[in-house]
Amino acid sequence: MTLLVVLACVLLAVLLLYHGLGFWAWVLPAFAVLAWCAWSNPDDRPVYGWIGIAVLTLAIVAGLPPVRRVLLGAPLLRLLAPIFPKMSDTERIALEAGTVWWDAELFSGRPNWKRIVEFAPLPLSEKERKFLDGPCKQLCEMIDDNAIRRDGDLPKEVWDFIKREKFMGMIIPEAQGGLGFSAVANSSVVAMLSSRSVTASVTVMVPNSLGPAELLLHYGTEEQKRYYLPKLANGEEVPCFALTEPHAGSDAGGMLSKGVVQKGVFEGKETLGLSLTWNKRYITLAPVATVLGLAFRLYDPDKLLGGDVDRGITCALIPTKTKGVVIGHRHDPLSIPFQNGPTSGDNVFVPIDWIIGGPEMAGQGWRMLMECLSAGRSISLPANSVGGAQLATRVVSAYAAIREQFNMAIGRFEGVEQPVARIGGTMYWMNALRVVTAGSVDAGEKPAVVSAIAKCWSTEAMRRVIDDAMDITGGAGICKGPRNTLAAAYQAVPIGITVEGANILTRTMIVFGQGAIRCHPFALKEMQAAAARDVKHFDAAFFGHVEFVFTNMARSLVLGLTGGMFASVPSGGRAAWTMKKLTRMSATFALLSDAAMGTLGGSLKRKEKITGRLADALAWMYIACAVVNRHVADGGKRDQAYFEWATAEALYNVQEALRGVLDNLPNRAAALALRPFAFPLGARLRPPTDRTTAACARAMIEGGEGRARLTAAMFVPGAKDPGLGRLERALELTLSVDPLRKKLRDAQKAKILPRDTEDAVLDEAVRKNVLTQAERDRVLEAWKARDDAIQVDDYAPGEYRKQRG
């Protein structure tokens, strides 16, 4: 009986921890056990009484903060303060920049689903919709991407149109001459353009991302804003921003470019200024820029500005006509001819007032860059990836429906169904991720961690989508020319993966490395309190952290045993099932994150395989949240196959990432002890089923509203377009005659019609009244359209050399 009481009390402790009772979750069951033992063993009551006094004493010491602070908090602070990792100013600024958002919910182990589900991205305004339907589509219609890649640049009329319609000023407010678009609208424009031309989308994307306009809006002096913003908006000034250099890529803080504060002569007058020396590369728009945003380390050896000699990273705006500025040379990024190249300067003297924000902002460049990076990273590359992936989705769904082998559309073969479905399901979550992350910027967030997730996982997803699309289209995908709509996207994939923080670094160091400290409810507070030797705040953070670990241990166990059954979620259906599973994964993620931090300490930052897996888990949970948000916003009924595929994929990837952490945690004793709490019934989640895969593939190749919604952000050209336009026309005609083609197949099975050439079968069908003459003409028109759409480009020798440039 006593054993049963003890087990019941242990269960009570677990349940109390599950519900967040924390410290008292073990005190109350302990007193219950002692009371039972004293009642059932009268002779030993004095012993149990002394044990009760000891438990009560421990409860007072550990449970009352003023007492605990003196007896435990202060000694622990002295012991642990030297162990906590020290933060450099660069790391501190990066951590403090931006805001935490849904990522904090996922780190909590107890996501607030009401907050996640009810978040509504800002809808497009009437003005933004008119721009998308007007100038944006006009620009897409003007573009011949094959000619752009052949000629090495956008045509002059396209450049002029981009400037005249203020594509470069989407983020600049109307009062300062720009369009004043929302982040979602900015994202939608980039997505549409990238579905037509990577070169055009990058040309528009970069001025509206991290660069002169963004920095001026937040930090520029009023004089700088008045002068530059209207000219940047209408294209009179073409900006670039020079950050990367040969010895400072992902480690931008290690740049060698420098500026020295000194007096000199500028335009005939003695001026306090900067002598700048730099050597930058990979700078988009640099070859054609009229104004150069430059990041450099500033030194003030004579202390003309006061303060330290090394003032830190600083940003300035330099007209490229300034004497000594070198631009014009171009890189060739995988034959995608957006303007990109190096820039350099040697002892270029400029006035001190050219620092963005004026002399007062000297040395504040790193903070400026970190605070603005999250907004641009939330928009540009996720949108660019979505546009390219939507193009591939549209191409593949049409091609798989019209391309036939063995008298059947290739999309009906199970081997092809799988990549077709993978494209559709991936496209569904990519667009959800794009809209939600851009929407967070409109809501006033600067989401440092989720913007990194959006950039990294969107560009990786585009790589997978394009690879699948190339596999499905086969020879039609690899023969370049006007008919080929995938080659440019395939060539451009590594560009998005490399820029704005290479994905390898983003995954292994930024997403979890920054997220673990910034989003964790206690980690940053502990570090700050330890650095300040603040006993009160350290005590609260440290013991809050201990309580947090045991709470998540209990929650992970209970939710793992019940499949998340008891998790509280705000809606029903498949979305509710997904949210319950995500709640369970969130608790396990929080537990294993603390286990990794606790057992590895400061060396965790060097265990990039572990941090990479934890980043995978966090990213896929965030992606699943975005999918749930989209599905609930759609009423919980539309695009069910895509939703089920995307959530199954995300949940399975979370599970496998967390299993990988346990399988490879260096402290094997800790891993062994945690496994029953993390996966008490084993790994039970599975990837998308064959049934879900088949449903996704059918929805893709059968056209209809689901396919249209999946590719709603892209530009769909008319029938005269040699690439996608031809495919779309062939698909439309093919779907319209499917019932007639079924009649032909049935007649052939019944031996009424022979198996012969298309023309012969159709003529015989009319003679035998299987089809009318009008029906025969419709079927033949569809056949000719299919035959035309699957052709590829070829060239005479002279034409081939011209095509190659």
Side-chain angles (χ1 to χ4, degrees), residues 786-799:
R786 290 199 314 278
D787 179 67
D788 180 49
I790 64 173
Q791 302 303 317
V792 299
D793 297 288
D794 57 72
Y795 305 94
E799 292 176 319

Side-chain angles (χ1 to χ4, degrees), residues 136-210:
C136 198
K137 285 189 177 178
Q138 284 179 259
L139 178 56
C140 289
E141 288 164 355
M142 293 172 67
I143 289 170
D144 179 348
D145 196 52
N146 186 65
I148 290 169
R149 284 181 281 128
R150 182 191 64 223
D151 298 339
D153 196 5
L154 298 171
K156 182 180 184 302
E157 60 270 20
V158 171
W159 273 108
D160 291 343
F161 187 84
I162 286 172
K163 295 175 181 180
R164 184 171 66 250
E165 296 297 332
K166 301 185 177 181
F167 277 88
M168 292 182 168
M170 288 191 289
I171 65 171
I172 298 174
E174 290 182 85
Q176 289 156 318
L179 295 174
F181 280 0
S182 66
V184 171
N186 181 352
S187 171
S188 298
V189 170
V190 173
M192 182 178 288
L193 293 179
S194 68
S195 71
R196 187 63 169 162
S197 167
V198 176
T199 302
S201 70
V202 170
T203 301
V204 168
M205 175 182 84
V206 168
N208 292 288
S209 187
L210 177 63

Side-chain angles (χ1 to χ4, degrees), residues 106-109 512 515-516 520-521 545 548-557 583-601 604 607 609-618 621 653-680 682-683:
L106 297 171
F107 260 97
S108 74
F512 184 77
H520 192 286
H545 196 162
F548 180 71
V549 170
F550 283 100
T551 296
N552 280 317
M553 189 178 291
R555 288 181 58 78
S556 182
L557 176 63
T583 301
R584 175 257 188 284
M585 288 297 169
S586 173
T588 303
F589 169 75
L591 175 63
L592 296 187
S593 295
D594 276 320
M597 289 190 285
T599 59
L600 292 169
L604 178 59
K607 297 294 184 181
K609 295 171 189 174
I610 296 293
T611 58
R613 293 183 182 100
L614 289 166
D616 290 341
L618 177 61
M621 285 192 292
N653 286 336
V654 176
Q655 172 188 271
E656 293 307 290
L658 295 178
R659 285 181 65 202
V661 173
L662 277 174
D663 289 345
N664 294 278
L665 195 66
N667 189 320
R668 298 313 302 154
L672 186 64
L674 287 170
R675 193 175 292 275
F677 294 93
F679 295 102

Side-chain angles (χ1 to χ4, degrees), residues 14-256:
V14 170
L15 293 176
L16 290 174
L17 278 171
Y18 174 88
H19 288 291
L21 199 58
F23 168 76
W24 297 102
W26 69 267
V27 175
L28 296 178
F31 277 114
V33 170
L34 288 171
W36 167 262
C37 291
W39 179 79
S40 59
N41 299 283
D43 294 341
D44 295 329
R45 284 176 185 172
V47 175
Y48 292 119
W50 284 110
I51 295 174
I53 292 171
V55 171
L56 181 61
T57 302
L58 182 59
I60 292 171
V61 171
L64 296 178
V67 178
R68 183 185 66 210
R69 204 175 297 142
V70 173
L71 298 178
L72 296 177
L76 282 171
L77 176 59
R78 289 193 295 272
L79 176 67
L80 297 176
I83 299 174
F84 277 98
K86 303 296 187 294
M87 281 191 292
S88 66
D89 287 342
T90 300
E91 290 172 321
R92 179 183 55 78
I93 290 170
L95 283 171
E96 292 175 355
T99 60
V100 296
W101 194 46
W102 289 4
D103 40 345
E105 297 291 346
L106 297 171
F107 260 97
S108 74
R110 193 192 296 263
N112 180 351
W113 286 109
K114 186 176 175 65
R115 179 189 183 197
I116 292 171
V117 167
E118 293 184 357
F119 173 75
L122 193 69
L124 295 175
S125 67
E126 183 180 355
K127 176 188 172 185
E128 291 165 344
R129 289 189 180 280
K130 284 183 177 179
F131 188 87
L132 281 165
D133 292 336
C136 198
K137 285 189 177 178
Q138 284 179 259
L139 178 56
C140 289
E141 288 164 355
M142 293 172 67
I143 289 170
D144 179 348
D145 196 52
N146 186 65
I148 290 169
R149 284 181 281 128
R150 182 191 64 223
D151 298 339
D153 196 5
L154 298 171
K156 182 180 184 302
E157 60 270 20
V158 171
W159 273 108
D160 291 343
F161 187 84
I162 286 172
K163 295 175 181 180
R164 184 171 66 250
E165 296 297 332
K166 301 185 177 181
F167 277 88
M168 292 182 168
M170 288 191 289
I171 65 171
I172 298 174
E174 290 182 85
Q176 289 156 318
L179 295 174
F181 280 0
S182 66
V184 171
N186 181 352
S187 171
S188 298
V189 170
V190 173
M192 182 178 288
L193 293 179
S194 68
S195 71
R196 187 63 169 162
S197 167
V198 176
T199 302
S201 70
V202 170
T203 301
V204 168
M205 175 182 84
V206 168
N208 292 288
S209 187
L210 177 63
E214 177 85 2
L215 294 171
L216 283 170
L217 283 169
H218 292 285
Y219 309 106
T221 65
E222 289 305 313
E223 183 180 354
Q224 288 171 340
K225 291 178 182 178
R226 280 194 301 271
Y227 179 81
Y228 275 114
L229 289 177
K231 294 182 178 183
L232 289 169
N234 64 22
E236 184 179 342
E237 296 279 8
V238 176
C240 69
F241 189 76
L243 179 61
T244 303
E245 53 190 58
H247 298 284
S250 297
D251 179 18
M255 66 179 64
L256 300 180

Side-chain angles (χ1 to χ4, degrees), residues 278-313:
W278 72 92
N279 179 27
K280 304 286 187 177
R281 64 180 181 181
Y282 310 150
I283 311 305
T284 299
L285 295 184
V288 295
T290 62
V291 59
L292 168 69
L294 181 67
F296 56 93
R297 183 169 289 278
L298 181 63
Y299 298 92
D300 185 10
D302 298 325
K303 299 192 175 182
L304 297 174
L305 298 178
D308 297 331
V309 171
D310 184 352
R311 298 300 299 267
I313 293 174

